[in-house]
Amino acid sequence: MQLKRADVVTGGLALLDAEGLDGLTMRKLGAHLGVRAGGIYWHFRNKEALLGAMADRIVGEVTATPLPLGAWDARLAEMAHRIRRALLAHRDGARVVAGTYVTEPNTVRGGQQAVRVLTDAGFPLDRAGWVVFAAMYYVLGHTIEEQAQRAEGDWADRGADLPDTELNRAMEAVVRADPEERFTYGLELFLDGVRLRLAEVRP
Amino acid sequence: MQLKRADVVTGGLALLDAEGLDGLTMRKLGAHLGVRAGGIYWHFRNKEALLGAMADRIVGEVTATPLPLGAWDARLAEMAHRIRRALLAHRDGARVVAGTYVTEPNTVRGGQQAVRVLTDAGFPLDRAGWVVFAAMYYVLGHTIEEQAQRAEGDWADRGADLPDTELNRAMEAVVRADPEERFTYGLELFLDGVRLRLAEVRP
DNA sequence: ACCTGAACACCGTTCAAGT
DNA sequence: ACCTGAACACCGTTCAAGT
């Protein structure tokens, strides 16, 4: 059976889960697919293009099922949580997605959906775009660190050589906290700002 | 003259500016320093450790000059802007810093300073840590994309193949907007949330 | 203490040639 | 159309040996 573009993406994600982003090489992927490394280049211009397609597949989970109806802020929060979960579903998923840019179909669809949630609520179109990008930066940053922490078991020891001051203990407590709760907290700070702006525009 | 740890970091940053993160190799850095690649390993355990030291030097700019006195939110905003500027001062600076973790001295000092700004304002210590990390995710995410955009001149063409709908034009307008203005807007959304939380705790 | 020389075990990418 | 074989130009890291 001949290889299709989608098979390469599927194989890439399987290899990603098995070896992580740093272990994802064209040679290993070729072996996994029963092909020499060079053969992949018939399907993808280069490794970056393949990673872009993988990223779009990961992000595709977000728009796979329709967003539940409800208040705009609940819908936006739901989207943010879905993105986080989609990224967490694959090893180094956040790093893969962070390294690619907006032009793939699922990513574009997701961005548009988020913008529409805001404009439907009365938010001006241009500022809605700014809000969506800003939120995405937060989600990516948070999840990248979550996965970095998950990868290295020795994260609890980070800063073990630091003096035991109240401040240092507070910093260490951050990385020991429940990631989901911490994610939600930061997301809500952000949404508070959006709510205020919306109240100004449409009182 | 013999090489010191600090010289390797300085040379690393010079090479980073010249070649970007992907062009920063141990061999090229060795050549730049008048040393074989292997020689660097006497000063740093591996490349990751070197990048960590470079990241801390970049971030060191933030605490180099004392924070002006004033309201807590103005001080926090000033720190965020300083971090952004420090990252922008070196090619791929944001990616370098995002790839390292909290334990280097300047990074720790900066984090502590930010936490103290919040606790001095009456914010509880543990939540202050959450806020500082969340803000850092936003700053890093924003600046990574800013620098990716700066690197590839063809960013304006991204999505040129997309249908010319109102939504797509809005998305494209985001990347064409003034980055500093966009950065400030997102930061303020975030600070609005913090202000609200502070008003709850200490009315 | 600080670095060289040389090797080890890899990379991404290209491209004539095969089927 | 789809892939092989083989090469090109690199990597990070290690380590005996030199000074």
Side-chain angles (χ1 to χ4, degrees), chain A residues 101 112 145 148 168 192 197, chain B residues 101 112 137 148 168 192 197:
Chain A
Y101 304 106
Q112 289 185 340
E145 190 156 305
N168 279 331
D192 279 339
R197 293 292 193 285
Chain B
Y101 303 105
Q112 289 184 340
Y137 299 146
N168 279 331
D192 279 339
R197 293 291 193 286

Side-chain angles (χ1 to χ4, degrees), chain B residues 5-17:
Chain B
R5 225 166 174 278
D7 302 326
V8 180
V9 174
T10 304
L13 286 173
L15 189 57
L16 180 69
D17 288 335

Side-chain angles (χ1 to χ4, degrees), chain A:
Chain A
M1 232 317 254
Q2 248 170 217
L3 220 49
K4 296 202 156 294
R5 224 167 174 278
D7 301 326
V8 181
V9 174
T10 304
L13 286 173
L15 189 57
L16 180 69
D17 288 335
E19 309 256 19
L21 183 53
D22 296 335
L24 175 62
T25 72
M26 299 302 264
R27 285 162 212 267
K28 281 192 210 161
L29 179 53
H32 182 81
L33 296 168
V35 140
R36 303 309 204 94
I40 299 171
Y41 287 80
W42 198 89
H43 300 277
F44 288 95
R45 196 165 23 80
N46 51 30
K47 191 179 181 179
E48 195 193 334
L50 169 60
L51 287 169
M54 289 169 56
D56 201 52
R57 178 94 131 244
I58 292 173
V59 166
E61 276 304 309
V62 173
T63 45
T65 62
L67 220 50
L69 296 177
W72 68 269
D73 49 353
R75 302 187 88 203
L76 219 58
E78 168 67 14
M79 282 201 78
H81 277 100
R82 281 192 188 183
I83 295 168
R84 171 170 172 271
R85 278 195 302 269
L87 299 178
L88 289 178
H90 292 280
R91 168 128 80 124
D92 293 332
R95 268 169 75 204
V96 171
V97 171
T100 68
Y101 304 106
V102 283
T103 190
E104 315 276 342
N106 288 331
T107 313
V108 169
R109 184 179 318 129
Q112 289 185 340
Q113 189 172 93
V115 167
R116 188 126 45 191
V117 168
L118 283 163
T119 52
D120 284 354
F123 221 75
L125 182 59
D126 57 333
R127 295 297 143 144
W130 290 22
V131 167
V132 169
F133 272 74
M136 190 66 186
Y137 300 146
Y138 169 69
V139 174
L140 284 172
H142 187 98
T143 316
I144 286 173
E145 190 156 305
E146 232 181 293
Q147 289 185 316
Q149 205 170 339
R150 195 170 296 200
E152 313 201 28
D154 59 345
W155 255 73
D157 310 343
R158 298 263 175 182
D161 46 345
L162 260 47
D164 185 36
T165 66
E166 194 186 28
L167 271 171
N168 279 331
R169 264 182 282 118
M171 300 291 274
E172 284 159 39
V174 173
V175 290
R176 259 195 300 276
D178 175 42
E180 169 137 27
E181 199 186 344
R182 204 151 69 80
F183 176 79
T184 304
Y185 184 82
L187 182 65
E188 282 300 322
L189 289 181
F190 198 80
L191 286 175
D192 279 339
V194 183
R195 285 183 197 110
L196 268 180
R197 293 292 193 285
L198 186 59
E200 285 168 15
V201 175
R202 169 199 151 181

Side-chain angles (χ1 to χ4, degrees), chain B residues 59-117:
Chain B
V59 167
E61 276 304 309
V62 174
T63 44
T65 61
L67 219 51
L69 297 178
W72 68 268
D73 48 354
R75 302 186 88 202
L76 218 57
E78 167 68 14
M79 282 200 77
H81 277 100
R82 281 190 187 184
I83 294 168
R84 172 169 172 271
R85 279 195 301 269
L87 299 179
L88 289 178
H90 291 279
R91 168 127 81 125
D92 293 331
R95 268 169 76 204
V96 170
V97 170
T100 67
Y101 303 105
V102 285
T103 188
E104 315 276 342
N106 288 330
T107 313
V108 169
R109 185 180 317 128
Q112 289 184 340
Q113 189 172 93
V115 167
R116 188 128 42 192
V117 168

Side-chain angles (χ1 to χ4, degrees), chain B residues 176-192:
Chain B
R176 260 195 299 277
D178 174 42
E180 169 138 28
E181 199 186 344
R182 204 152 71 81
F183 176 79
T184 304
Y185 184 82
L187 183 64
E188 282 299 322
L189 289 180
F190 198 80
L191 286 176
D192 279 339

